[in-house]
Amino acid sequence: MVVQQYRDGGGARAVRALAVAGVIVVTAGCMGGDGGGAGDGSGQRSVAADRPLDLLGQAADVLVEAGGAETRTSMETAAGGTRVTIRGQGAYDFRKQMGRLRVVLPKDPAGKDAAGAEGHRPITELLAPGALYMKNRGAGVPDDKWVRIDTTGLKDGNLVTGGVTDPMAAAELLRGAADVTYAGKTELAGVTVHHYRGVADLGRAARAASPQSRGALSAAAKGFSKDAVPFDAYLDEEGRLRKVRHRFTFSSDARGPEVSVVSTLLLYGFGLPVTVTLPDEDAIYTGEIRQG
């Protein structure tokens, strides 16, 4: 393995922790090989030949150039020695910073999901700059209505609230990368990728982020108990982010224990046309939402 360092400047209990932390339950705002070398002879640049900090800092911009992509997500929360996982699948347009995902909640031993509902259907989530829309939300929300959340008003900036880390925000976080280690070249779903480990600083990432992401990341920088976010990032030969895993740490409340959340994003099918239509105002639920 290549080691190169780069620096710059009980089940129900776990489900309750998810709810308290704001994952899915709306509160205040309502993932070694050999060392990589130079090019592969195809004329494409090899990411291992460039400075990792520069590459990671440009990952979001490269995705914008790529346009749309399919995505799979997972969010694993550890609390009280128990882990639960929320999974999602969909597509995202990095140019418009909009996406649509189908999110599946975990069930506790009693057969209830994280929102406290019996046999809840998958939640549909629409991601947009500064906003998260959720359908099949449960908790008293009519089936034909959407819940809209202002992500700039969330303490975590929607890095964990929706059970999915916004793909653009996940990439923008890498702008705050430091203490990066090149862990070598490997394959991911048949694609050659270069693996980097490091720590992202939330505040630094927010300051360097695009205007559309800055508000949410700034909120996260203030709301998380730790600004340092360890990550593993996998970039292909064109510098496109194929996989990133972030490890977030926060407290559910002032007296509560710290909660660890591992969020993983997989990207593939680049160039995919992605159409996201946001709901009309009359489709937005404005009534009271029961807490799970």
Side-chain angles (χ1 to χ4, degrees):
M1 184 178 94
V2 175
V3 178
Q4 297 176 353
Q5 195 79 13
Y6 301 83
R7 298 181 182 271
D8 189 1
R13 182 177 177 184
V15 169
R16 287 197 299 271
L18 281 167
V20 173
V23 179
I24 294 302
V25 176
V26 181
T27 55
C30 172
M31 178 186 346
D34 60 343
D40 60 2
S42 65
Q44 297 177 332
R45 64 187 175 89
S46 170
V47 295
D50 295 322
R51 293 188 67 239
L53 291 171
D54 291 339
L55 287 165
L56 295 170
Q58 297 165 5
D61 298 327
V62 174
L63 290 176
V64 170
E65 294 178 5
E70 295 182 74
T71 180
R72 290 180 181 269
T73 69
S74 70
M75 186 169 287
E76 182 181 81
T77 298
T82 303
R83 297 179 184 273
V84 294
T85 303
I86 298 171
R87 301 190 185 278
Q89 183 174 1
Y92 192 88
D93 185 328
F94 287 94
R95 293 174 181 164
K96 296 181 179 179
Q97 296 194 17
M98 299 177 69
R100 182 183 183 97
L101 298 103
R102 178 179 183 270
V103 179
V104 180
L105 305 184
K107 293 181 181 295
D108 70 14
K112 294 184 178 181
D113 60 35
E118 299 281 358
H120 198 291
R121 291 175 296 171
I123 292 177
T124 298
E125 296 192 6
L126 303 182
L127 308 175
L132 167 66
Y133 298 81
M134 306 168 70
K135 193 173 185 181
N136 296 334
R137 166 65 180 79
V141 180
D143 290 345
D144 62 339
K145 294 292 186 179
W146 294 82
V147 172
R148 183 188 185 280
I149 307 167
D150 178 358
T151 56
T152 63
L154 295 172
K155 289 185 177 181
D156 69 290
N158 196 31
L159 295 180
V160 301
T161 290
V164 173
T165 300
D166 184 291
M168 190 64 181
E172 297 256 37
L173 261 175
L174 298 177
R175 297 187 191 274
D179 297 336
V180 176
T181 297
Y182 176 56
K185 183 167 63 175
T186 185
E187 282 196 1
L188 181 63
V191 176
T192 298
V193 293
H194 298 271
H195 179 191
Y196 300 94
R197 294 192 181 102
V199 177
D201 180 89
L202 278 167
R204 180 177 172 185
R207 292 189 295 271
S210 64
Q212 297 95 322
S213 300
R214 192 170 298 142
L217 288 178
S218 295
K222 297 175 183 177
F224 278 91
S225 59
K226 293 182 180 179
D227 285 343
V229 181
F231 68 82
D232 286 83
Y234 301 77
L235 277 64
D236 65 18
E237 294 286 358
E238 297 179 54
R240 296 177 301 193
L241 185 65
R242 290 281 183 162
K243 177 181 178 180
V244 62
R245 178 186 289 118
H246 291 103
R247 297 166 182 83
F248 302 106
T249 303
F250 61 94
S251 295
S252 56
D253 57 54
R255 296 170 298 176
E258 286 191 334
V259 178
S260 174
V261 177
V262 179
S263 178
T264 304
L265 170 71
L266 288 169
L267 295 170
Y268 55 100
F270 292 102
L272 174 79
V274 179
T275 301
V276 178
T277 303
L278 300 181
D280 296 330
E281 286 297 322
D282 60 2
I284 306 298
Y285 181 70
T286 58
E288 182 179 355
I289 296 177
R290 297 197 309 265
Q291 302 307 313

